[in-house]
Amino acid sequence: MNALTMPARPRATPHEPGTPLVAVENVTLRYRTEKAKITATRNVSFSVNSGDRFVLLGPSGCGKSTLLKAVGGYLTPEEGRITVGGRQVKAPGADRMMVFQEFDQLLPWKTVLGNVMFPQLVTGKLSPKEAEAKARHYIEKVGLTRAIDNYPHMLSGGMKQRVSIARGMAMEPDVLLMDEPFAALDALTRRTCQDELLRLWDETRFTVLFVTHSIAEAIKIGNRILLLSPHPGRVKAEVEGVDDVSAADGSAARLEREIHDLLFADEPEDH
């Protein structure tokens, strides 16, 4: 694997010494359409350490969302394997919570509080009283205490996404999976949500695996970025130490140009 490496700052404590929290090993993912069998990714490998903000970046159709679903346990690799916390992923689990870009992922008949409590109650992880206390804590974290009794139809798109993030974080999963969660928002709201996600991470240092096709968003959100080639997705490069780049000294703009050139360099035809 090629590597575009920059100085990396110290990470949070690993899940287990010397062991990545998430390990994707030589994973090939395929799915069937009415006409053919499509290869979404080929021989993809990467690892995510505890406390990472790890970004999968690539153009549409490179298989980044498919990879995220496979880590979530919704798809089974045709080749290779995926482990979380040293355990092979074979099905969805409460150790991996997902936030999608769609605004309709909330239950319309439940309030903000009810939506955040719901996964904890369904899994039996906590008693109703404990679930409510934890839900209120994370709703406060995302700045929605005033809207705690509101229903989804009363919320803006950005507020709905913050509820989804609070719901995922309230489960305190090993890794939070985010599939272009801010892509459908207007530019100003998107920037605000990015800032809030980073603020939350700075407070709790949770592990996030984030999918985007925006180079600027990848640089802002990630401390590590994996670049995927166009269909079928293969690893082109990994960028580390992204926290050290800055808009002020021009290093962020230089990195954005480097990533763009790497992503769109000519690829050999797949056979």
Side-chain angles (χ1 to χ4, degrees):
M1 177 175 67
N2 297 323
L4 175 62
T5 305
M6 304 184 69
R9 81 177 196 181
R11 306 190 197 284
T13 303
H15 185 74
E16 292 181 11
T19 303
L21 175 59
V22 179
V24 175
E25 303 170 5
N26 303 311
V27 165
T28 295
L29 293 163
R30 296 187 175 95
Y31 60 89
R32 289 192 176 277
T33 67
E34 292 182 359
K35 296 182 179 180
K37 191 173 188 180
I38 306 298
T39 301
T41 68
R42 174 163 291 167
N43 199 35
V44 171
S45 296
F46 62 89
S47 61
V48 181
N49 296 318
S50 182
D52 269 346
R53 305 187 314 276
F54 195 98
V55 177
L56 300 177
L57 173 66
S60 296
C62 72
K64 52 190 184 294
S65 293
T66 306
L67 275 168
L68 199 72
K69 291 173 184 175
V71 174
Y74 300 100
L75 296 172
T76 301
E78 191 161 301
E79 299 171 11
R81 72 172 196 152
I82 300 170
T83 60
V84 175
R87 301 178 298 276
Q88 186 166 354
V89 172
K90 297 182 178 180
D95 58 339
R96 289 150 285 137
M97 293 296 291
M98 185 170 280
V99 178
F100 302 94
Q101 64 173 282
E102 293 83 4
F103 297 152
D104 59 358
Q105 60 194 290
L106 301 178
L107 301 173
W109 61 88
K110 288 188 176 291
T111 63
V112 168
L113 179 61
N115 268 284
V116 177
M117 289 176 60
F118 182 72
Q120 300 174 69
L121 297 176
V122 168
T123 58
K125 188 174 182 180
L126 297 174
S127 69
K129 186 176 180 179
E130 292 170 327
E132 181 175 347
K134 185 162 286 189
R136 287 183 179 275
H137 171 75
Y138 282 102
I139 289 167
E140 181 181 4
K141 286 277 188 189
V142 299
L144 287 177
T145 299
R146 290 186 178 182
I148 199 166
D149 294 320
N150 288 1
Y151 289 88
H153 73 273
M154 303 166 68
L155 306 176
S156 67
M159 293 169 76
K160 290 178 182 178
Q161 290 305 76
R162 282 189 280 163
V163 175
S164 298
I165 292 169
R167 181 175 62 183
M169 292 184 66
M171 289 294 289
E172 298 181 346
D174 288 343
V175 57
L176 187 63
L177 308 174
M178 306 188 78
D179 188 5
E180 302 204 60
F182 311 135
L185 301 174
D186 63 84
L188 183 59
T189 304
R190 182 173 187 167
R191 191 173 301 114
T192 300
C193 286
Q194 291 167 347
D195 290 339
E196 289 179 345
L197 179 65
L198 291 174
R199 176 184 59 79
L200 286 168
W201 181 87
D202 201 47
E203 290 178 3
T204 61
R205 300 300 170 108
F206 58 94
T207 306
V208 59
L209 181 55
F210 191 101
V211 162
T212 184
H213 63 269
S214 166
I215 299 174
E217 183 171 63
I219 292 172
K220 182 169 184 176
I221 294 295
N223 70 317
R224 296 171 63 203
I225 305 172
L226 192 78
L227 312 185
L228 295 170
S229 67
H231 177 81
R234 284 178 284 218
V235 175
K236 297 199 75 169
E238 182 176 328
V239 187
E240 297 188 348
V242 186
D243 282 331
D244 295 325
V245 303
S246 167
D249 63 10
S251 58
R254 289 194 297 273
L255 180 58
E256 187 167 349
R257 289 193 296 270
E258 288 182 60
I259 289 176
H260 178 276
D261 292 344
L262 275 168
L263 280 176
F264 296 100
D266 290 339
E267 284 283 314
E269 291 187 11
D270 184 47
H271 296 288

